Amino acid sequence: MEDCVDDGPPDCLPPCRQDPLKPPTVPSLDFLFQQMAATIQEVFWISPPDLATLLYASSAFERVWGLPWDRAPQPPAAIIGAAHPEDFSRSFKEIGSVQHTPRDIEYRIIRPDGAMRWIRNRVRAVYDKTGRLVMRVGAAADITERKLFQKSLIESHARFVTVLDSIEADIYVADMNTHEILFVNRHIQQSYGGDLRGKKCWEVFHQEAGPCPRCITPELIDSEGKPIEGVAWEGLSPVTGKWYFNYDRAIKWVDGRLVRLQIATDISRIKNLETETSRIQARLQQAQKMEAIGTLAGGIAHDFNNILTAILGYTEMAMMGVDAESAVNRSLQQVLKAGNRARELVRQILTFSRQTEHEFKPVQLDLIVKEAVNLMRASLPSTISIRMRLHSQSITLADPTQIHQVIINLCTNAAHAMREKGGELFVGLEDIHPNQAFFNEHAELSPGAYQKLTVRDSGHGIHPDMQARIFEPFFTTKQRGEGTGMGLAVVSGIIKSHKGAISIESAVGNGTTFRVFLPIIQSAEVEPLFDHAPDLPSGHERILLVDDEEPIARLGKQMLEHLGYRVTTCLTAADAFNIFIQSPWRFDLVVTDMTMPKMTGAELAQKIRLIRRDIPIILCTGYSGKISRERAWEIGIRELVNKPMAIRELAQTVRKVLDHAGLPPP
């Protein structure tokens, strides 16, 4: 103790100078209060109840308020007197209203340097033992940085929401475990209606009773539970009925948990375009198929019809020379029947590929129906009855032969459907005045009145899967070898070419109904449809016959001579022209094939008419696509006929042309 120097107040001595037997001096409470107030960041203050001045303010006052302490006690209390003008009344009232329960009051202050700071003032009222309010105390903290951060967050959130709300896509966030929807943008609310937050995603978007496979999406996180790349998929919403391209991704939410973010873009228009594209491609493929059929038909028609001309012609000639009741005649009838079937098949292919010309004229449809049904009666078994109900005598612009073909094809199909068990074939005809719904269903039709032809059977019906393809070429519901698959395709092509429509209604086991709609025209003169003259017209005129195929030329000569005509045949157009110019007035008629080497029949006709303009000419072709009827008339040809021709057709055509020899082509 000798080393210590006693040179200060006893209570200020260092510990080494203290008397160990004397207790240490304790600072006053005021001193301790001031020291504690100086160590905290908040401004501790005391004021009278009326807030007129400050009784005390800790040293942090100068740092926060920017005012020296000597100005702090001045009225009004600087703790409130520096409040922003917009906040002064509110904050003064709120601080003055604090009673027993402390309150946090936030407001802005303006520092002398013009800076604005945000203050959070925790205020408490102090009462004496009698309950009288004696002072107000508080602890004020500068929360400017926190306020700025909050403002930044609010603005950032507002920008985020604004961006998401402006995106034309459905966006939502859902908890990956509970599937609770945590966030949705405006677009998805408009799509599904109302605020969806708090609901289950599988219930709102998929109408499921529990989590769906897309809710679980384990592929969104790796084995360590961390988010990985997203997953894209397409789906049809059962709620909106729209197709969406969905992108799912796992992300960390603001509270740290993993959530699933989904962005769904409406691709219904794209899907519709894909469907339309597929439909157009199918139609294009169908058109290409039809073009191929047409090319094939045009390529084989001429040669095939020449072959059929020989088969049919020689068969008819042979039948004329044998007893009608003989076995030979019966065999020849089968040959003739097969040849006619082959001729009809070629005509169907050409008709379907639209490479034959239509002879449209006003016709009374009920007459064609009666003719076709009467023709069908003889070929139907007794187990099939026919019932007709024809309530229309209206006129339509049509090719009678093709309409006759339509009715025969439909009735033949109906009879085939009833061949096993029998049944009733119903054929009806009536006028209708369709409503707008009809034209919406048949957009290809023009407004107006229509005749409705109905062909109904009570047969086995057609499966719905087959009905969509029933009018396709080479598609048939018949067994192999029973049909070509061209019948209904040809029917559809004919009806469309007549600006009409055809529909089918069928159910398995309940029969099939075909309805054909053809436009009605105003009254017009109707020509007789069919020539039933039993005798073959004949004559004695001289005919120049030209065909490059010797069997066809020989057959034509034999047919014409059988009819009484005198015939000169030539196998080339050049030989025919040389014979003609030697004696132009020797011949009354020229019958020539169209397709011949070096000089066609049309070219031969033009050269002959330079010598004799009045000479009637018949042009024969195995394929009418080589020349049109209008073109034939332009160069002076009286008739354009298609091979193969039966002897009756040849006899009628030759007689018709000779009887009108002095008249110009139609």
Side-chain angles (χ1 to χ4, degrees):
M1 295 296 293
E2 288 81 8
D3 295 335
C4 293
V5 178
D6 187 8
D7 56 359
D11 56 351
C12 295
L13 290 176
C16 62
R17 304 288 292 172
Q18 293 283 340
D19 185 348
L21 299 178
K22 185 178 179 180
T25 303
V26 178
S28 66
L29 290 176
D30 288 346
F31 177 78
L32 290 175
F33 171 77
Q34 293 178 15
Q35 294 302 313
M36 291 175 62
T39 61
I40 62 177
Q41 293 293 321
E42 287 83 357
V43 177
F44 184 73
W45 57 272
I46 302 173
S47 76
D50 59 1
L51 299 173
T53 185
L54 283 177
L55 302 177
Y56 173 81
S58 64
S59 58
F61 175 81
E62 293 188 10
R63 175 177 55 79
V64 176
W65 260 259
L67 291 171
W69 166 247
D70 59 356
R71 292 181 55 189
Q74 304 301 317
I79 201 75
I80 188 64
H84 191 285
E86 295 178 1
D87 296 346
F88 179 82
S89 297
R90 174 186 60 81
S91 56
F92 187 88
K93 181 178 180 181
E94 289 183 359
I95 292 175
S97 65
V98 175
Q99 297 181 0
H100 297 280
T101 304
R103 282 177 58 189
D104 285 340
I105 300 169
E106 294 183 1
Y107 56 95
R108 294 167 294 174
I109 64 169
I110 303 296
R111 291 162 53 99
D113 58 4
M116 186 189 74
R117 311 296 291 180
W118 272 95
I119 303 298
R120 186 194 64 214
N121 215 334
R122 187 166 184 80
V123 182
R124 179 187 178 96
V126 180
Y127 298 85
D128 62 12
K129 294 180 180 180
T130 64
R132 182 173 62 89
L133 179 63
V134 295
M135 67 179 68
R136 298 186 189 277
V137 300
D142 186 345
I143 59 171
T144 303
E145 297 304 322
R146 183 169 68 90
K147 279 290 187 179
L148 292 177
F149 180 69
Q150 287 179 344
K151 180 182 179 184
S152 176
L153 283 179
I154 293 172
E155 291 176 348
S156 175
H157 177 75
R159 287 193 296 269
F160 170 74
V161 172
T162 300
V163 170
L164 292 184
D165 283 345
S166 65
I167 295 176
E168 290 293 321
D170 292 348
I171 302 174
Y172 76 91
V173 174
D175 187 286
M176 295 190 70
N177 295 319
T178 66
H179 312 297
E180 177 187 354
I181 299 174
L182 306 175
F183 172 83
V184 291
N185 71 336
R186 182 180 302 163
H187 194 275
I188 200 171
Q189 292 184 66
Q190 294 172 348
S191 298
Y192 290 87
D195 190 355
L196 310 176
R197 289 175 296 181
K199 300 180 180 179
K200 304 294 185 181
C201 61
W202 41 263
E203 178 183 13
V204 172
F205 304 125
H206 302 286
Q207 294 182 334
E208 299 284 351
C212 59
R214 289 297 175 184
C215 290
I216 302 171
T217 53
E219 63 269 31
L220 298 181
I221 55 176
D222 59 18
S223 57
E224 299 178 357
K226 296 180 180 179
I228 54 178
E229 294 183 359
V231 177
W233 54 282
E234 292 182 4
L236 177 65
S237 170
V239 179
T240 64
K242 298 178 180 179
W243 277 92
Y244 292 93
F245 177 80
N246 306 281
Y247 178 77
D248 291 358
R249 189 181 185 93
I251 61 173
K252 279 194 174 182
W253 198 232
V254 292
D255 55 8
R257 58 177 158 169
L258 281 180
V259 297
R260 178 168 53 87
L261 166 68
Q262 183 177 105
I263 303 174
T265 305
D266 184 357
I267 59 170
S268 299
R269 183 171 178 271
I270 297 176
K271 280 291 183 180
N272 291 336
L273 289 175
E274 288 177 353
T275 302
E276 181 66 14
T277 300
S278 299
R279 190 176 66 83
I280 292 174
Q281 287 177 343
R283 290 175 62 184
L284 178 60
Q285 291 173 355
Q286 184 77 354
Q288 290 171 340
K289 186 190 298 183
M290 295 306 99
E291 183 179 357
I293 292 173
T295 302
L296 174 64
I300 69 172
H302 178 267
D303 292 338
F304 196 58
N305 280 331
N306 275 340
I307 295 171
L308 288 176
T309 297
I311 293 173
L312 295 174
Y314 281 111
T315 300
E316 285 186 321
M317 296 302 297
M319 291 174 65
M320 293 178 183
V322 298
D323 185 0
E325 300 299 327
S326 66
V328 174
N329 188 280
R330 288 195 295 272
S331 297
L332 290 174
Q333 286 180 354
Q334 293 302 316
V335 175
L336 189 64
K337 182 178 179 181
N340 283 324
R341 286 185 62 190
R343 177 176 65 174
E344 187 61 29
L345 178 59
V346 175
R347 286 181 177 176
Q348 286 184 353
I349 294 175
L350 287 173
T351 299
F352 182 75
S353 61
R354 297 184 180 179
Q355 300 204 30
T356 56
E357 294 185 51
H358 300 309
E359 297 181 6
F360 291 107
K361 57 185 178 182
V363 296
Q364 195 170 317
L365 197 56
D366 63 318
L367 300 179
I368 302 178
V369 174
K370 290 177 182 177
E371 177 70 25
V373 173
N374 289 334
L375 185 63
M376 285 291 302
R377 287 185 188 275
S379 61
L380 293 180
S382 58
T383 56
I384 299 177
S385 62
I386 298 179
R387 182 166 63 94
M388 281 198 302
R389 188 173 65 192
L390 308 181
H391 291 166
S392 171
Q393 294 183 336
S394 298
I395 298 173
T396 186
L397 193 64
D399 183 325
T401 302
Q402 290 194 334
I403 296 300
H404 189 271
Q405 182 180 357
V406 166
I407 300 168
I408 292 295
N409 278 352
L410 293 179
C411 291
T412 300
N413 284 343
H416 186 275
M418 299 183 290
R419 64 177 180 173
E420 294 181 359
K421 299 181 179 180
E424 180 185 80
L425 170 62
F426 171 79
V427 181
L429 185 67
E430 60 180 320
D431 295 344
I432 62 170
H433 297 274
N435 55 22
Q436 188 57 47
F438 174 86
F439 291 109
N440 290 339
E441 182 179 355
H442 300 282
E444 71 276 17
L445 299 183
S446 300
Y450 282 78
Q451 282 182 297
K452 181 176 74 173
L453 170 67
T454 303
V455 178
R456 182 171 62 244
D457 66 69
S458 57
H460 50 65
I462 303 173
H463 194 278
D465 294 340
M466 295 183 177
Q467 292 181 34
R469 301 185 57 196
I470 202 71
F471 296 110
E472 291 183 8
F474 305 117
F475 177 82
T476 179
T477 60
K478 299 176 182 177
Q479 298 297 321
R480 185 177 181 86
E482 293 184 346
T484 63
M486 289 298 297
L488 288 177
V490 170
V491 166
S492 177
I494 292 174
I495 297 304
K496 289 180 180 178
S497 70
H498 283 69
K499 302 185 185 304
I502 183 171
S503 65
I504 179 175
E505 180 182 337
S506 183
V508 176
N510 291 322
T512 301
T513 301
F514 285 95
R515 295 182 178 89
V516 175
F517 304 95
L518 294 172
I520 295 174
I521 64 171
Q522 298 299 323
S523 299
E525 184 178 352
V526 179
E527 299 179 6
L529 294 176
F530 304 101
D531 184 1
H532 298 283
D535 298 328
L536 296 178
S538 59
H540 58 275
E541 289 88 350
R542 295 190 62 86
I543 299 175
L544 177 61
L545 177 64
V546 190
D547 199 300
D548 62 321
E549 295 196 24
E550 185 177 357
I552 305 300
R554 190 166 56 248
L555 173 63
K557 178 180 175 66
Q558 188 176 346
M559 284 182 167
L560 291 170
E561 287 180 344
H562 177 79
L563 296 171
Y565 299 104
R566 291 168 289 172
V567 183
T568 300
T569 59
C570 293
L571 299 180
T572 68
D575 288 346
F577 182 68
N578 289 333
I579 290 176
F580 184 81
I581 61 176
Q582 290 175 11
S583 182
W585 301 100
R586 174 185 173 190
F587 299 103
D588 302 296
L589 174 68
V590 176
V591 180
T592 177
D593 186 28
M594 172 61 186
T595 305
M596 295 183 292
K598 296 184 180 180
M599 186 189 303
T600 67
E603 293 170 339
L604 173 63
Q606 288 177 298
K607 294 183 69 174
I608 286 177
R609 292 191 76 248
L610 291 174
I611 299 172
R612 266 192 66 188
R613 196 163 186 82
D614 65 325
I615 186 75
I617 301 173
I618 297 175
L619 185 64
C620 302
T621 177
Y623 171 39
S624 62
K626 300 288 185 180
I627 186 172
S628 67
R629 188 174 302 277
E630 289 75 13
R631 175 56 183 160
W633 288 343
E634 286 176 3
I635 60 178
I637 294 173
R638 291 289 313 183
E639 283 291 337
L640 177 67
V641 295
N642 294 321
K643 294 179 180 179
M645 278 195 302
I647 189 171
R648 176 176 296 279
E649 185 180 359
L650 177 62
Q652 291 174 343
T653 302
V654 169
R655 191 69 259 159
K656 175 183 175 183
V657 171
L658 288 171
D659 291 343
H660 296 82
L663 300 176

